Short mmCIF file of all heavy atoms in Angstrom, two decimals:
data_model
loop_
_atom_site.label_atom_id
_atom_site.label_comp_id
_atom_site.label_asym_id
_atom_site.label_seq_id
_atom_site.Cartn_x
_atom_site.Cartn_y
_atom_site.Cartn_z
N ASN A 1 -9.82 -7.20 -7.44
CA ASN A 1 -11.08 -7.21 -6.68
C ASN A 1 -11.27 -8.53 -5.93
O ASN A 1 -11.74 -8.55 -4.80
CB ASN A 1 -12.27 -6.95 -7.59
CG ASN A 1 -12.36 -5.51 -8.04
OD1 ASN A 1 -11.78 -4.62 -7.43
ND2 ASN A 1 -13.07 -5.28 -9.12
N ASN A 2 -10.93 -9.63 -6.58
CA ASN A 2 -11.05 -10.94 -5.95
C ASN A 2 -10.09 -11.07 -4.78
O ASN A 2 -10.47 -11.57 -3.71
CB ASN A 2 -10.80 -12.05 -6.99
CG ASN A 2 -11.25 -13.40 -6.53
OD1 ASN A 2 -12.08 -13.53 -5.65
ND2 ASN A 2 -10.70 -14.43 -7.14
N ILE A 3 -8.86 -10.61 -4.95
CA ILE A 3 -7.88 -10.63 -3.87
C ILE A 3 -8.38 -9.77 -2.70
O ILE A 3 -8.32 -10.19 -1.54
CB ILE A 3 -6.50 -10.12 -4.35
CG1 ILE A 3 -5.93 -11.03 -5.45
CG2 ILE A 3 -5.54 -9.95 -3.19
CD1 ILE A 3 -5.62 -12.44 -5.04
N SER A 4 -8.90 -8.60 -3.00
CA SER A 4 -9.43 -7.70 -1.99
C SER A 4 -10.55 -8.36 -1.19
O SER A 4 -10.60 -8.26 0.04
CB SER A 4 -9.92 -6.41 -2.64
OG SER A 4 -10.43 -5.53 -1.68
N MET A 5 -11.45 -9.06 -1.89
CA MET A 5 -12.56 -9.75 -1.23
C MET A 5 -12.03 -10.83 -0.28
O MET A 5 -12.48 -10.94 0.86
CB MET A 5 -13.48 -10.39 -2.27
CG MET A 5 -14.64 -11.15 -1.67
SD MET A 5 -15.50 -12.18 -2.86
CE MET A 5 -14.25 -13.38 -3.26
N HIS A 6 -11.06 -11.61 -0.73
CA HIS A 6 -10.48 -12.65 0.12
C HIS A 6 -9.81 -12.06 1.35
O HIS A 6 -9.99 -12.56 2.47
CB HIS A 6 -9.49 -13.51 -0.66
CG HIS A 6 -10.13 -14.50 -1.57
ND1 HIS A 6 -10.81 -15.61 -1.11
CD2 HIS A 6 -10.21 -14.55 -2.91
CE1 HIS A 6 -11.27 -16.31 -2.13
NE2 HIS A 6 -10.92 -15.68 -3.25
N LEU A 7 -9.04 -10.99 1.16
CA LEU A 7 -8.37 -10.35 2.30
C LEU A 7 -9.39 -9.81 3.29
O LEU A 7 -9.21 -9.97 4.51
CB LEU A 7 -7.45 -9.23 1.80
CG LEU A 7 -6.17 -9.69 1.10
CD1 LEU A 7 -5.50 -8.54 0.37
CD2 LEU A 7 -5.20 -10.33 2.10
N LYS A 8 -10.44 -9.18 2.79
CA LYS A 8 -11.49 -8.65 3.67
C LYS A 8 -12.07 -9.77 4.53
O LYS A 8 -12.24 -9.62 5.75
CB LYS A 8 -12.58 -8.00 2.82
CG LYS A 8 -13.71 -7.39 3.61
CD LYS A 8 -14.73 -6.73 2.68
CE LYS A 8 -15.84 -6.16 3.49
NZ LYS A 8 -17.13 -6.77 3.25
N ASN A 9 -12.37 -10.91 3.92
CA ASN A 9 -12.92 -12.04 4.66
C ASN A 9 -11.92 -12.60 5.67
O ASN A 9 -12.30 -12.94 6.80
CB ASN A 9 -13.35 -13.16 3.70
CG ASN A 9 -14.58 -12.78 2.90
OD1 ASN A 9 -15.36 -11.93 3.30
ND2 ASN A 9 -14.74 -13.40 1.74
N ILE A 10 -10.67 -12.68 5.30
CA ILE A 10 -9.62 -13.18 6.20
C ILE A 10 -9.54 -12.31 7.45
O ILE A 10 -9.46 -12.82 8.57
CB ILE A 10 -8.26 -13.23 5.46
CG1 ILE A 10 -8.27 -14.38 4.43
CG2 ILE A 10 -7.10 -13.36 6.44
CD1 ILE A 10 -7.15 -14.30 3.41
N PHE A 11 -9.60 -11.00 7.28
CA PHE A 11 -9.51 -10.09 8.42
C PHE A 11 -10.80 -10.08 9.23
O PHE A 11 -10.77 -10.06 10.46
CB PHE A 11 -9.14 -8.68 7.97
CG PHE A 11 -7.79 -8.61 7.28
CD1 PHE A 11 -7.62 -7.87 6.13
CD2 PHE A 11 -6.69 -9.30 7.78
CE1 PHE A 11 -6.38 -7.80 5.50
CE2 PHE A 11 -5.46 -9.25 7.16
CZ PHE A 11 -5.30 -8.50 6.01
N GLU A 12 -11.95 -10.10 8.57
CA GLU A 12 -13.23 -10.11 9.29
C GLU A 12 -13.43 -11.38 10.11
O GLU A 12 -14.00 -11.34 11.19
CB GLU A 12 -14.40 -9.95 8.30
CG GLU A 12 -14.58 -8.54 7.81
CD GLU A 12 -15.74 -8.40 6.84
OE1 GLU A 12 -16.38 -9.41 6.47
OE2 GLU A 12 -16.01 -7.25 6.43
N GLU A 13 -12.96 -12.51 9.60
CA GLU A 13 -13.12 -13.78 10.30
C GLU A 13 -12.05 -14.00 11.37
O GLU A 13 -12.10 -14.97 12.11
CB GLU A 13 -13.10 -14.94 9.29
CG GLU A 13 -14.30 -14.92 8.36
CD GLU A 13 -14.21 -15.92 7.22
OE1 GLU A 13 -13.23 -16.71 7.19
OE2 GLU A 13 -15.11 -15.91 6.36
N GLY A 14 -11.09 -13.09 11.46
CA GLY A 14 -10.04 -13.18 12.47
C GLY A 14 -8.96 -14.21 12.17
O GLY A 14 -8.20 -14.57 13.06
N GLU A 15 -8.90 -14.68 10.93
CA GLU A 15 -7.86 -15.63 10.56
C GLU A 15 -6.48 -15.00 10.73
O GLU A 15 -5.54 -15.65 11.17
CB GLU A 15 -8.06 -16.09 9.12
CG GLU A 15 -7.08 -17.13 8.65
CD GLU A 15 -7.33 -17.62 7.23
OE1 GLU A 15 -8.43 -17.42 6.70
OE2 GLU A 15 -6.40 -18.19 6.67
N LEU A 16 -6.37 -13.72 10.37
CA LEU A 16 -5.14 -12.95 10.56
C LEU A 16 -5.49 -11.57 11.10
O LEU A 16 -6.58 -11.06 10.83
CB LEU A 16 -4.39 -12.78 9.23
CG LEU A 16 -3.80 -14.02 8.58
CD1 LEU A 16 -3.28 -13.69 7.19
CD2 LEU A 16 -2.69 -14.61 9.44
N GLU A 17 -4.57 -10.98 11.84
CA GLU A 17 -4.74 -9.62 12.33
C GLU A 17 -4.15 -8.66 11.30
O GLU A 17 -2.97 -8.78 10.94
CB GLU A 17 -4.03 -9.44 13.66
CG GLU A 17 -4.54 -10.36 14.73
CD GLU A 17 -5.08 -9.61 15.90
OE1 GLU A 17 -5.01 -8.37 15.90
OE2 GLU A 17 -5.57 -10.27 16.82
N LYS A 18 -4.96 -7.75 10.81
CA LYS A 18 -4.55 -6.84 9.75
C LYS A 18 -3.27 -6.09 10.09
O LYS A 18 -2.36 -5.98 9.25
CB LYS A 18 -5.69 -5.86 9.44
CG LYS A 18 -5.46 -5.02 8.23
CD LYS A 18 -6.69 -4.20 7.90
CE LYS A 18 -6.50 -3.44 6.61
NZ LYS A 18 -7.71 -2.71 6.22
N ASN A 19 -3.17 -5.58 11.31
CA ASN A 19 -2.00 -4.75 11.66
C ASN A 19 -0.69 -5.54 11.72
O ASN A 19 0.38 -4.95 11.74
CB ASN A 19 -2.23 -4.00 12.97
CG ASN A 19 -2.41 -4.91 14.17
OD1 ASN A 19 -2.46 -6.13 14.04
ND2 ASN A 19 -2.56 -4.32 15.32
N SER A 20 -0.76 -6.87 11.71
CA SER A 20 0.48 -7.66 11.75
C SER A 20 0.92 -8.14 10.37
O SER A 20 2.04 -8.63 10.22
CB SER A 20 0.32 -8.86 12.68
OG SER A 20 -0.63 -9.77 12.17
N VAL A 21 0.06 -7.99 9.35
CA VAL A 21 0.41 -8.51 8.02
C VAL A 21 0.27 -7.48 6.90
O VAL A 21 0.40 -7.81 5.73
CB VAL A 21 -0.40 -9.78 7.67
CG1 VAL A 21 -0.07 -10.92 8.60
CG2 VAL A 21 -1.89 -9.50 7.64
N VAL A 22 -0.01 -6.22 7.25
CA VAL A 22 -0.19 -5.17 6.23
C VAL A 22 0.74 -4.00 6.54
O VAL A 22 0.82 -3.55 7.67
CB VAL A 22 -1.65 -4.66 6.19
CG1 VAL A 22 -1.82 -3.59 5.12
CG2 VAL A 22 -2.62 -5.80 5.96
N LYS A 23 1.47 -3.54 5.50
CA LYS A 23 2.33 -2.37 5.62
C LYS A 23 2.24 -1.55 4.34
O LYS A 23 1.99 -2.08 3.27
CB LYS A 23 3.80 -2.77 5.79
CG LYS A 23 4.18 -3.19 7.17
CD LYS A 23 5.67 -3.33 7.27
CE LYS A 23 6.05 -3.77 8.67
NZ LYS A 23 7.48 -3.83 8.86
N LYS A 24 2.49 -0.25 4.48
CA LYS A 24 2.56 0.62 3.31
C LYS A 24 4.02 0.71 2.86
O LYS A 24 4.91 0.93 3.68
CB LYS A 24 2.05 2.02 3.63
CG LYS A 24 0.57 2.12 3.75
CD LYS A 24 0.15 3.56 3.96
CE LYS A 24 -1.34 3.63 4.19
NZ LYS A 24 -1.78 4.98 4.49
N PHE A 25 4.22 0.51 1.58
CA PHE A 25 5.53 0.70 0.96
C PHE A 25 5.37 1.79 -0.09
O PHE A 25 4.35 1.86 -0.76
CB PHE A 25 6.02 -0.57 0.25
CG PHE A 25 6.47 -1.66 1.18
CD1 PHE A 25 5.56 -2.57 1.70
CD2 PHE A 25 7.81 -1.79 1.50
CE1 PHE A 25 5.97 -3.58 2.53
CE2 PHE A 25 8.23 -2.81 2.34
CZ PHE A 25 7.32 -3.71 2.86
N LEU A 26 6.38 2.64 -0.24
CA LEU A 26 6.36 3.63 -1.32
C LEU A 26 6.73 2.93 -2.62
O LEU A 26 7.73 2.22 -2.69
CB LEU A 26 7.33 4.76 -1.04
CG LEU A 26 6.90 5.75 0.02
CD1 LEU A 26 7.99 6.80 0.22
CD2 LEU A 26 5.59 6.42 -0.35
N THR A 27 5.90 3.11 -3.63
CA THR A 27 6.12 2.50 -4.94
C THR A 27 6.24 3.61 -5.97
O THR A 27 5.44 4.54 -5.98
CB THR A 27 4.94 1.57 -5.30
OG1 THR A 27 4.84 0.57 -4.29
CG2 THR A 27 5.14 0.91 -6.64
N THR A 28 7.24 3.51 -6.83
CA THR A 28 7.43 4.49 -7.88
C THR A 28 6.58 4.12 -9.09
O THR A 28 6.69 3.02 -9.62
CB THR A 28 8.91 4.58 -8.30
OG1 THR A 28 9.69 4.86 -7.14
CG2 THR A 28 9.12 5.69 -9.32
N ALA A 29 5.73 5.03 -9.50
CA ALA A 29 4.83 4.81 -10.64
C ALA A 29 5.52 5.21 -11.94
O ALA A 29 6.63 5.76 -11.93
CB ALA A 29 3.54 5.61 -10.45
N ASN A 30 4.85 4.96 -13.05
CA ASN A 30 5.39 5.31 -14.36
C ASN A 30 5.67 6.80 -14.51
O ASN A 30 6.54 7.20 -15.29
CB ASN A 30 4.45 4.85 -15.48
CG ASN A 30 4.40 3.35 -15.58
OD1 ASN A 30 5.32 2.66 -15.16
ND2 ASN A 30 3.33 2.83 -16.14
N ASP A 31 4.94 7.62 -13.76
CA ASP A 31 5.15 9.06 -13.84
C ASP A 31 6.34 9.54 -13.00
O ASP A 31 6.63 10.73 -12.94
CB ASP A 31 3.88 9.82 -13.44
CG ASP A 31 3.46 9.57 -12.01
OD1 ASP A 31 4.20 8.90 -11.24
OD2 ASP A 31 2.37 10.04 -11.62
N GLY A 32 7.03 8.59 -12.34
CA GLY A 32 8.20 8.92 -11.53
C GLY A 32 7.88 9.33 -10.11
O GLY A 32 8.78 9.49 -9.29
N LYS A 33 6.60 9.50 -9.79
CA LYS A 33 6.20 9.87 -8.43
C LYS A 33 6.11 8.62 -7.57
O LYS A 33 5.85 7.53 -8.06
CB LYS A 33 4.85 10.58 -8.45
CG LYS A 33 4.88 11.91 -9.15
CD LYS A 33 3.52 12.57 -9.12
CE LYS A 33 3.52 13.88 -9.88
NZ LYS A 33 2.19 14.47 -9.94
N LYS A 34 6.29 8.83 -6.27
CA LYS A 34 6.19 7.72 -5.31
C LYS A 34 4.83 7.77 -4.63
O LYS A 34 4.40 8.83 -4.17
CB LYS A 34 7.31 7.79 -4.29
CG LYS A 34 8.66 7.56 -4.93
CD LYS A 34 9.76 7.49 -3.91
CE LYS A 34 11.06 7.32 -4.65
NZ LYS A 34 12.00 6.52 -3.98
N TYR A 35 4.19 6.62 -4.57
CA TYR A 35 2.87 6.51 -3.96
C TYR A 35 2.87 5.41 -2.91
O TYR A 35 3.51 4.37 -3.10
CB TYR A 35 1.82 6.16 -5.03
CG TYR A 35 1.66 7.21 -6.09
CD1 TYR A 35 2.37 7.13 -7.28
CD2 TYR A 35 0.80 8.29 -5.90
CE1 TYR A 35 2.23 8.10 -8.27
CE2 TYR A 35 0.67 9.26 -6.88
CZ TYR A 35 1.37 9.16 -8.05
OH TYR A 35 1.23 10.12 -9.02
N PRO A 36 2.14 5.61 -1.79
CA PRO A 36 2.05 4.54 -0.79
C PRO A 36 1.10 3.45 -1.30
O PRO A 36 -0.01 3.73 -1.76
CB PRO A 36 1.47 5.24 0.44
CG PRO A 36 0.77 6.45 -0.09
CD PRO A 36 1.46 6.83 -1.37
N VAL A 37 1.57 2.21 -1.25
CA VAL A 37 0.77 1.07 -1.69
C VAL A 37 0.80 0.03 -0.58
O VAL A 37 1.87 -0.29 -0.04
CB VAL A 37 1.35 0.45 -2.99
CG1 VAL A 37 0.59 -0.80 -3.38
CG2 VAL A 37 1.32 1.48 -4.12
N LEU A 38 -0.38 -0.50 -0.23
CA LEU A 38 -0.44 -1.54 0.80
C LEU A 38 0.19 -2.82 0.28
O LEU A 38 -0.06 -3.24 -0.86
CB LEU A 38 -1.88 -1.82 1.21
CG LEU A 38 -2.62 -0.70 1.95
CD1 LEU A 38 -4.05 -1.12 2.24
CD2 LEU A 38 -1.89 -0.32 3.22
N HIS A 39 1.02 -3.43 1.12
CA HIS A 39 1.63 -4.72 0.82
C HIS A 39 1.27 -5.69 1.95
O HIS A 39 1.08 -5.28 3.09
CB HIS A 39 3.15 -4.59 0.70
CG HIS A 39 3.59 -4.02 -0.59
ND1 HIS A 39 3.36 -2.72 -0.95
CD2 HIS A 39 4.23 -4.59 -1.64
CE1 HIS A 39 3.86 -2.50 -2.16
NE2 HIS A 39 4.39 -3.63 -2.60
#
């Protein structure tokens, strides 16, 4: 939650452009399924 709050502020203040530093990667969970996770 703290990381999320900092990222939200970074993007809202224009310190970084979200589309240039965020990507979805497929991550395999404990159940063996792959899920998209923001990196």
Side-chain angles (χ1 to χ4, degrees):
N1 287 340
N2 195 22
I3 298 296
S4 180
M5 179 193 66
H6 283 290
L7 288 167
K8 181 179 179 244
N9 290 336
I10 289 165
F11 299 137
E12 283 180 356
E13 293 171 5
E15 183 178 343
L16 294 172
E17 300 240 358
K18 189 173 185 176
N19 63 356
S20 66
V21 296
V22 180
K23 280 190 180 184
K24 286 184 184 176
F25 287 85
L26 285 178
T27 301
T28 305
N30 291 337
D31 63 6
K33 294 180 183 176
K34 294 186 182 214
Y35 297 94
V37 175
L38 293 178
H39 282 69

